[in-house]
Amino acid sequence: MVAPIRVSCILALLVAGHGRAVGQEAVTQAELIRRVVDLDRLATPPPEGERTRMFSSYDRRSQIDAQGRFIDWDANHDAGQFLRRTDDGWDVMAEVDGPGAITRIWSANPHGRIRFVLDGEIVIDTSFGELLSGRLAPFEAPFTERGLNCYFPIGFAQSGRVLARDSGAYYHVNVVEFPAGTPVERFSFTLSDEARGAVADVARVLRDGYDPVVAAGRRLMPVTEQKDLGPGEKLAWDLKGGGTVRALYVGLTDRTDPREPYALHQLVLRMTFDGAAEPQVEVPLVDFFGSGFEPVPFRSLATGTAAKLAFPLPDRPLEEQRFMYCYFPMPYRDGLRLEIENLSRTRRAVGLVFLMRVDTRTPAPDALRFHARYRREDPCQVLGYPVLAVRGRGRIVGCVLNVDCPRAEWWGEGDEKVWIDGEGFPSYFGTGTEDYFGDAWGLHEFTHPLVGVTRAAPWGKNSAYRWHVPDAINFQKSAAFTLENWQHERQWDTYYGTLAYWYATPDAVTAELFPRLTLAELTPPGLRIPGAIEAEDHILSANWGNVTRQQHAGGAELSGEAAANITTSEPVTIGLPVEQARTVRLQLRVNPRRPFETITVTSPTGRTIGTVQYDRRLSGLYDVGIVRLEPGVNRLTVQCSRPAMLDCWVLSDIPRNPRGPEGEDLELSTAEAVTSEVEYGRLPWSAGAQRRLVFARAGASATFALPEQAEERTVVLRLHITHGPDGGRFDVRVNGVAVGRELATYTAVERVERVPVGSVTLRRGANSLSFHSTIPPTPSGVSVLGLDAVDLPPAAGPHVLEFEDFTIAAEEEAFAERQGIGGASGEDHLWCRARRVGASIAFDLTPAPGRYRLALLLTRSFDYGIVQVTLDGAPLGEPIDLFATRIEPGLRVELGEHAFEDGRPRRLRVEVAGKASASPGYYFGLDGLQMEPIR
């Protein structure tokens, strides 16, 4: 049992509050659609009796017992979990009794079938993948994005249920439940004229951006101020009376932007409404606009950093002007004070201009006040990281997350949890940090109107945002919001910072989570690159340039806070120390704010590892190439065509072949007229190397010892071979017996290919693999065979031909591709993505004359169809139903005995004949064909 350290103190805040009743107005489909972009609604109190919640596939082992203890709170099997299963075999994803609407659907792996039963009727019944594909009207872009997020609302008047079949998906279903008796227009694929108009209007806002003037319906009063803020200085402005800030813009007047790292993160924005004792807004300036740590150009519905305004910035042409912006409406009835304070210790002032557009009408007496507050933990050492805890009435409307992880391991398995109105178990229980931000399988940079990731890296700084607009999180009494800090092996070394956005009544009370911001609170970790080797510390040449410290790096963040400023175009020797021999992928990080032209890096042996060219990338990290490093100091030569600022080297071990030994690791038992060497890094070899064999004459041979076997087993032998202009022709033998066809390795251009040999039986103990040259050497005087790696995955049995190794003779809309799959013969199968009855794939068989017993090895899955197998047009047995509730390789279908007497090619065809009613698709998987000779 693991208890989140901070959750108990947050839950203590969740006590009863008060709300007011409102009338029950009809909710039309058009109204639900407009809510997708309705920022004004967020500042209105949530109606009494209106509840929001989220259904998800979170691991059901996570529980809170009667004593309030957290049981398996960090359980992480968050897929394929449902409320229950119905009598007819459907899994219940979400269930609401009463009027309401689905406001958001997300899935990382939408598969199986999904059904929406609204007011007791089946209204939507389709494949889960099709629903989120963006192809199914009206669930199209921009309402559905990236195949993961759907924000098109689905209303119901009496009840709503979402069901799944044959699905093990990760999923979220966000809903709003309206007060009992609220008239709600049920979703229909046939949209009314009003709903079609709403779709067009909302789609235009999602694509083109939000216009606060249009939203206000009137002209807005501009308020502007410009100032160069030195360390410790403030820009301040006061407004009297009542009004609503409809837009807040901040631009930079310095054309080079701040020249120090995190300069805008160390500027604090404060906004105080109605003379409150504490500012309702106190946040790092740049983070408030959705971009964590530092500005990244992006636009979203509520905030962004790249607005174009006609309002001029000093000394900047119009095409270079960019303003950070926020469109969350900010009502006040008794004055507003805005401050921007520079807490940094830098020497340079930051030039700012701010512009507010204010609606001068006094807001409604019950208008909610806008809040945004920032907090961080460095390092975060609790499981339940608190984002927000508030007592009162209001709505949670957004979150920005900043993370700095000093490792390449994934840090974001943690789930979001939100407790509403003092409930014992959270009504929002997520499935992963990236899932909350609309992503999946880690973070990837993307920016959309309601969700996005502005920075993503396997290590270092990450930042993401999410705006709860159609899916605002309502609370009548209280709310507590945590993000689970789920780091592998509980290393607890990662920086977490969050900015919470919410609206609340003026008398709402916020937990003491948010300290007043100081420079210490706003100083994130420096650049932390695992295993980085500092370039400036290992230069062995003279007269190369100088070391540049971070404060002189033009605002860039440097590893080790320094870099080598190479000012000569002559070769410079830089040592690269390693403790043991390694073949690595070499990357070079440069100062990302200092352009260069080309940098060429040469290995200690004189081989060019690679040349990199400047391309403005924000990370400054460039791939150089693959190099073999020996223990000690490896002397690399670096030549810069123009001055360049080298920060550090990053070394990454190259993955090894997972299915068998590397060619360079095999023991060469005998070599007759063959020379052997290990070659590193020239081509994309597994583990970065290959065994290069040079055959001096026809009949020359080389024999390797294969890894000893604990018992006899049949394997699929595949060779990873380098082909090239010096290639030859070779017999392949296992334990002295020829297997497969003659191996030809000549090509005009060098490339690495995986060559199927066939199924072979390895005996217990020692086995050998040998190559025999069958032709004289090429005109160059040699025949070369490059052995990268050897695959030895288990085969389903002797005499099995792998479909993934066949040459396809004919294909009609089968869209076949090799797919790795555990448990299949050879650990691969041929995945055929057919989409209709009649789609087919064919292969030509030309076995040695004789009689054979045939059997087909197939894969079954949740979206597979029914196939018919034919040989020369004649059916082989009955149609085969390949539907199963999960992926199941290894289905064996006997096809009987057949004669192949004349040696002519015979055509084997697999054609889609239909599908089971439970299957959403016509796919099929071909694993192997067993052709057992009959003696």
Side-chain angles (χ1 to χ4, degrees):
M1 190 273 287
V2 180
I5 298 173
R6 300 293 176 82
V7 169
S8 58
C9 71
I10 294 173
L11 295 181
L13 186 73
L14 307 184
V15 298
H18 302 282
R20 67 176 180 85
V22 298
Q24 295 176 354
E25 299 178 356
V27 180
T28 65
Q29 190 164 14
E31 164 63 17
L32 289 173
I33 293 167
R34 292 191 184 100
R35 287 188 176 195
V36 174
V37 297
D38 188 357
L39 298 180
D40 282 352
R41 183 178 65 90
L42 305 179
T44 64
E48 288 188 0
E50 181 175 294
R51 179 189 182 196
T52 57
R53 60 187 300 197
M54 183 177 78
F55 298 90
S56 79
S57 56
Y58 78 89
D59 194 323
R60 298 316 197 250
R61 291 176 297 171
S62 295
Q63 300 178 21
I64 301 177
D65 68 13
Q67 288 72 44
R69 293 175 298 190
F70 295 90
I71 309 300
D72 289 330
W73 206 238
D74 59 347
N76 196 42
H77 184 64
D78 291 329
Q81 307 271 0
F82 302 95
L83 297 179
R84 68 177 191 280
R85 175 164 288 184
T86 64
D87 293 339
D88 58 351
W90 287 83
D91 293 309
V92 181
M93 300 169 68
E95 185 171 42
V96 175
D97 289 322
I102 295 165
T103 56
R104 170 183 176 260
I105 301 170
W106 167 92
S107 178
N109 58 336
H111 64 268
R113 199 147 197 90
I114 191 167
R115 173 179 286 180
F116 294 76
V117 182
L118 309 178
D119 303 336
E121 295 184 21
I122 299 172
V123 177
I124 305 172
D125 192 338
T126 185
S127 72
F128 201 174
E130 183 69 10
L131 179 74
L132 296 186
S133 69
R135 298 187 299 265
L136 180 65
F139 305 104
E140 299 166 302
F143 292 92
T144 299
E145 297 281 7
R146 302 188 74 235
L148 300 173
N149 300 279
C150 175
Y151 281 99
F152 196 94
I154 300 172
F156 46 88
Q158 300 168 8
S159 63
R161 285 168 178 77
V162 185
L163 310 175
R165 193 161 199 145
D166 307 317
S167 179
Y170 295 84
Y171 67 86
H172 296 173
V173 179
N174 291 75
V175 300
V176 55
E177 301 175 40
F178 298 122
T182 302
V184 178
E185 182 182 359
R186 189 175 74 189
F187 168 84
S188 172
F189 281 104
T190 302
L191 300 179
S192 66
D193 291 344
E194 184 185 13
R196 284 197 299 272
V199 167
D201 292 342
V202 171
R204 185 163 49 250
V205 172
L206 292 172
R207 290 193 177 102
D208 301 339
Y210 184 88
D211 189 327
V213 177
V214 172
R218 68 195 308 259
R219 294 184 64 180
L220 301 175
M221 180 182 74
V223 178
T224 65
E225 180 70 10
Q226 178 182 336
K227 186 172 183 178
D228 291 342
L229 285 185
E233 294 182 340
K234 289 183 182 180
L235 178 157
W237 195 271
D238 290 285
L239 292 177
K240 306 296 183 182
T244 300
V245 177
R246 289 282 186 169
L248 172 62
Y249 302 94
V250 175
L252 303 176
T253 60
D254 184 350
R255 295 190 62 178
T256 60
D257 292 337
R259 299 181 182 180
E260 294 80 17
Y262 314 123
L264 298 184
H265 183 75
Q266 294 176 341
L267 269 63
V268 176
L269 169 68
R270 299 187 188 93
M271 299 182 75
T272 306
F273 307 108
D274 306 322
E278 294 281 334
Q280 286 93 339
V281 175
E282 187 172 41
V283 291
L285 181 69
V286 66
D287 306 71
F288 176 71
F289 298 104
S291 177
F293 298 112
E294 292 183 306
V296 173
F298 87 101
R299 296 177 65 195
S300 74
L301 178 70
T303 73
T305 60
K308 293 184 178 181
L309 298 180
F311 185 82
L313 282 171
D315 302 323
R316 285 204 183 189
L318 188 62
E319 64 272 12
E320 292 185 11
Q321 295 185 26
R322 297 292 185 274
F323 282 80
M324 298 180 283
Y325 66 89
C326 174
Y327 295 144
F328 281 119
M330 307 176 196
Y332 58 94
R333 292 178 62 84
D334 188 19
L336 158 67
R337 180 172 179 80
L338 179 145
E339 295 180 352
I340 301 176
E341 182 178 6
N342 186 351
L343 296 183
S344 71
R345 295 173 181 164
T346 60
R347 292 176 296 175
R348 290 178 56 87
V350 179
L352 296 178
V353 58
F354 88 82
L355 165 65
M356 287 193 298
R357 286 178 169 168
V358 180
D359 187 337
T360 56
R361 293 173 295 186
T362 301
D366 64 349
L368 303 177
R369 298 301 182 263
F370 177 73
H371 297 254
R373 295 296 296 269
Y374 181 83
R375 68 181 305 274
R376 67 102 170 100
E377 295 190 13
D378 182 22
C380 182
Q381 296 186 315
V382 296
L383 183 63
Y385 169 88
V387 177
L388 174 65
V390 58
R391 186 176 68 243
R393 186 181 186 191
R395 308 178 193 262
I396 299 174
V397 298
C399 179
V400 168
L401 171 67
N402 293 341
V403 165
D404 188 308
C405 183
R407 295 168 285 104
E409 292 82 10
W410 173 234
W411 49 267
E413 285 297 313
D415 309 329
E416 81 275 12
K417 302 180 182 70
V418 184
W419 286 261
I420 302 296
D421 297 341
E423 62 192 357
F425 193 87
S427 53
Y428 289 74
F429 201 128
T431 57
T433 304
E434 80 273 43
D435 308 346
Y436 170 74
F437 291 102
D439 209 343
W441 316 113
L443 287 182
H444 313 82
E445 292 180 6
F446 73 99
T447 56
H448 286 159
L450 297 171
V451 289
V453 178
T454 55
R455 298 171 67 105
W459 42 260
K461 293 176 173 59
N462 297 260
S463 188
Y465 64 87
R466 178 171 170 188
W467 312 129
H468 294 276
V469 181
D471 57 332
I473 301 173
N474 296 349
F475 53 95
Q476 298 289 347
K477 304 174 184 178
S478 59
F481 178 9
T482 67
L483 282 174
E484 193 176 54
N485 171 26
W486 206 108
Q487 300 179 37
H488 287 288
E489 300 180 7
R490 293 292 186 268
Q491 299 203 41
W492 306 120
D493 58 359
T494 297
Y495 172 106
Y496 269 67
T498 51
L499 202 161
Y501 303 75
W502 74 99
Y503 286 88
T505 54
D507 60 348
V509 178
T510 304
E512 295 181 0
L513 293 176
F514 303 106
R516 297 302 299 269
L517 295 183
T518 64
L519 179 60
E521 289 288 324
L522 297 178
T523 302
L527 185 64
R528 301 182 290 182
I529 303 178
I533 299 175
E534 300 299 329
E536 69 274 9
D537 294 341
H538 298 91
I539 299 181
L540 305 178
S541 299
N543 302 319
W544 53 269
N546 60 281
V547 174
T548 299
R549 302 299 173 186
Q550 185 157 300
Q551 59 265 36
H552 306 297
E557 191 175 30
L558 301 177
S559 175
E561 299 189 351
N565 186 30
I566 307 295
T567 58
T568 178
S569 60
E570 296 298 315
V572 176
T573 302
I574 303 180
L576 198 59
V578 295
E579 295 183 356
Q580 58 187 13
R582 297 173 64 186
T583 302
V584 300
R585 176 167 284 104
L586 182 67
Q587 294 177 296
L588 173 64
R589 187 179 190 271
V590 302
N591 180 340
R593 295 199 177 187
R594 291 292 178 86
F596 63 91
E597 190 173 76
T598 63
I599 303 172
T600 299
V601 184
T602 305
S603 75
T605 63
R607 179 180 66 85
T608 298
I609 303 169
T611 297
V612 299
Q613 293 183 320
Y614 177 66
D615 63 6
R616 298 177 179 268
R617 65 183 63 183
L618 293 175
S619 69
L621 192 64
Y622 292 81
D623 291 328
V624 179
I626 296 171
V627 62
R628 174 69 175 181
L629 301 176
E630 300 298 335
V633 177
N634 295 262
R635 298 169 67 91
L636 303 185
T637 301
V638 176
Q639 191 161 17
C640 306
S641 61
R642 288 180 53 190
M645 191 176 291
L646 312 187
D647 186 12
C648 64
W649 304 103
V650 180
L651 312 182
S652 303
D653 290 311
I654 301 171
R656 298 178 63 82
N657 179 40
R659 296 183 174 181
E662 296 290 341
E664 64 272 17
D665 293 338
L666 290 175
E667 178 187 349
L668 184 61
S669 303
T670 62
E672 183 180 345
V674 174
T675 59
S676 169
E677 64 173 339
V678 176
E679 189 175 15
Y680 296 98
R682 204 165 40 76
L683 292 174
W685 298 309
S686 64
Q690 73 159 355
R691 171 84 65 165
R692 186 173 189 269
L693 302 171
V694 180
F695 294 74
R697 58 175 173 79
S701 65
T703 301
F704 296 93
L706 291 174
E708 291 202 0
Q709 304 297 309
E711 57 186 7
E712 182 179 290
R713 68 188 187 107
T714 302
V715 300
V716 177
L717 176 62
R718 299 187 183 103
L719 304 173
H720 297 245
I721 298 294
T722 300
H723 296 60
D726 291 331
R729 303 180 73 89
F730 308 91
D731 281 340
V732 182
R733 302 179 187 179
V734 174
N735 296 329
V737 178
V739 293
R741 298 179 179 177
E742 185 180 55
L743 177 63
T745 66
Y746 170 81
T747 54
V749 178
E750 277 195 305
R751 63 174 183 265
V752 182
E753 295 183 4
R754 186 169 71 165
V755 179
V757 177
S759 59
V760 298
T761 299
L762 300 180
R763 60 199 179 201
R764 180 180 180 182
N767 293 266
S768 66
L769 172 68
S770 56
F771 301 92
H772 297 252
S773 177
T774 60
I775 61 172
T778 62
S780 65
V782 295
S783 290
V784 175
L785 186 150
L787 180 60
D788 177 16
V790 179
D791 286 352
L792 298 172
H799 316 300
V800 172
L801 306 177
E802 300 292 327
F803 274 113
E804 63 272 18
D805 294 334
F806 271 90
T807 298
I808 297 173
E811 182 179 1
E812 185 174 350
E813 295 188 53
F815 309 107
E817 64 180 85
R818 179 195 300 269
Q819 183 184 50
I821 179 169
S825 181
E827 298 182 345
D828 285 325
H829 77 161
L830 196 64
W831 183 35
C832 302
R833 294 175 289 113
R835 296 186 181 136
R836 64 169 179 82
V837 173
S840 66
I841 187 168
F843 312 90
D844 286 338
L845 309 178
T846 314
R851 192 168 183 82
Y852 295 85
R853 183 177 294 109
L854 304 186
L856 203 60
L857 304 177
L858 301 164
T859 304
R860 307 175 71 207
S861 191
F862 57 85
D863 52 359
Y864 281 18
I866 299 170
V867 298
Q868 176 67 62
V869 183
T870 61
L871 185 64
D872 289 340
L876 292 181
E878 299 297 319
I880 307 165
D881 188 352
L882 296 179
F883 171 77
T885 58
R886 60 174 183 264
I887 299 175
E888 296 178 356
L891 175 65
R892 182 184 177 90
V893 179
E894 300 291 342
L895 299 180
E897 297 182 5
H898 299 270
F900 295 81
E901 298 295 353
D902 53 8
R904 66 179 176 86
R906 310 286 293 276
R907 178 151 293 190
L908 183 79
R909 181 184 299 275
V910 183
E911 181 175 339
V912 176
K915 70 179 184 66
S917 60
S919 176
Y922 297 94
Y923 294 179
F924 56 96
L926 304 179
D927 188 4
L929 176 67
Q930 187 164 21
M931 300 189 65
E932 181 182 359
I934 300 174
R935 306 299 181 190

